[in-house]
Amino acid sequence: KQEVTQIPAALSVPEGENLVLNCSFTDSAIYNLQWFRQDPGKGLTSLLLIQSSQREQTSGRLNASLDKSSGRSTLYIAASQPGDSATYLCAVRYGGATNKLIFGTGTLLAVQP
Amino acid sequence: DAGITQSPRHKVTETGTPVTLRCHQTENHRYMYWYRQDPGHGLRLIHYSYGVKDTDKGEVSDGYSVSRSKTEDFLLTLESATSSQTSVYFCATAYGQGNQPQHFGDGTRLSIL
């Protein structure tokens, strides 16, 4: 069964700290992997999309890496800010024409001022 | 995001009643998806559509039906709501298959008493 796991489930850090969120997947034959942010009561905002042929993607203070062979992806957030507080979700797309995603259960991040 | 509007945003209803949720998009995206989000399960795909009148089942489709008569609208129907269908429902769209990220609406919180 294709599963996606995110550890830790919750994380609290002081403002300014660099941090890493982890995502692991059981089937390494992925097509791509997407990181999302979800604020309370809101939908998901796409942060980064990494294709299976890529090793990493960067957007501002965010950097996502992908290691297919080990079934892992990390989201690195530099110089964290209170506004980064949210739930972060990773989702994996496997082969096929439908673009269906399999989601992890997320990491709830709290950045303390 | 991506001009996605879900309606209603909140609904409380009774067991056994029919319920229809609507997703409307303005971006002319070909693919549309319905997910439900529950604590401990993450987001799970209910149904998806790959074009007008073209739909297929996701991993948790029992008790749900969908229709897509126009590109911009994707309807999710609970024929006879049950308490186990209490959840937050998200609609998502994607321009095409393959490399395209999914974009999400703000969700509908549905409570079935």
Side-chain angles (χ1 to χ4, degrees):
Chain A
K1 182 180 179 182
Q2 295 165 335
E3 294 182 342
V4 179
T5 304
Q6 292 186 247
I7 296 173
L11 181 64
S12 180
V13 300
E15 181 177 4
E17 190 163 301
N18 302 326
L19 60 101
V20 174
L21 306 180
N22 297 294
C23 173
S24 61
F25 40 95
T26 54
D27 184 347
S28 62
I30 71 169
Y31 193 91
N32 58 43
L33 184 145
Q34 197 168 353
W35 280 95
F36 293 89
R37 168 186 173 139
Q38 185 176 26
D39 293 291
K42 294 292 188 179
L44 281 65
T45 300
S46 180
L47 298 174
L48 291 164
L49 174 67
I50 310 177
Q51 304 300 335
S52 62
S53 59
Q54 297 175 319
R55 295 284 293 181
E56 64 179 74
Q57 280 283 345
T58 298
S59 176
R61 294 183 294 108
L62 305 180
N63 176 277
S65 67
L66 175 64
D67 184 343
K68 276 182 55 178
S69 60
S70 66
R72 294 181 181 179
S73 176
T74 62
L75 180 66
Y76 175 84
I77 302 177
S80 59
Q81 304 171 357
D84 294 329
S85 298
T87 297
Y88 290 81
L89 298 159
C90 72
V92 173
R93 188 203 156 197
Y94 290 97
T98 59
N99 204 2
K100 291 188 288 186
L101 295 175
I102 299 176
F103 281 85
T105 53
T107 294
L108 175 61
L109 174 65
V111 181
Q112 307 299 330
Chain B
D1 194 3
I4 301 171
T5 303
Q6 293 186 231
S7 59
R9 292 294 317 280
H10 304 272
K11 187 175 181 65
V12 180
T13 191
E14 295 183 347
T15 300
T17 60
V19 177
T20 296
L21 308 183
R22 180 182 184 233
C23 178
H24 178 78
Q25 55 121 343
T26 60
E27 299 296 318
N28 201 35
H29 285 176
R30 177 182 175 188
Y31 291 83
M32 297 186 75
Y33 308 83
W34 277 107
Y35 293 89
R36 59 178 289 174
Q37 185 176 35
D38 304 287
H41 290 279
L43 278 89
R44 294 177 291 175
L45 182 66
I46 304 171
H47 280 280
Y48 63 96
S49 170
Y50 46 96
V52 174
K53 298 185 179 179
D54 291 324
T55 65
D56 205 348
K57 297 179 180 180
E59 64 176 307
V60 291
S61 60
D62 288 347
Y64 301 95
S65 63
V66 291
S67 65
R68 191 169 178 201
S69 59
K70 299 184 291 185
T71 297
E72 57 267 33
D73 289 325
F74 192 32
L75 304 181
L76 176 71
T77 297
L78 291 64
E79 300 291 347
S80 178
T82 68
S83 58
S84 65
Q85 294 176 310
T86 293
S87 186
V88 181
Y89 291 85
F90 287 100
C91 173
T93 72
Y95 179 73
Q97 63 191 45
N99 302 338
Q100 306 302 316
Q102 289 192 14
H103 303 274
F104 282 74
D106 284 342
T108 293
R109 184 172 297 276
L110 178 63
S111 297
I112 301 166
L113 306 178

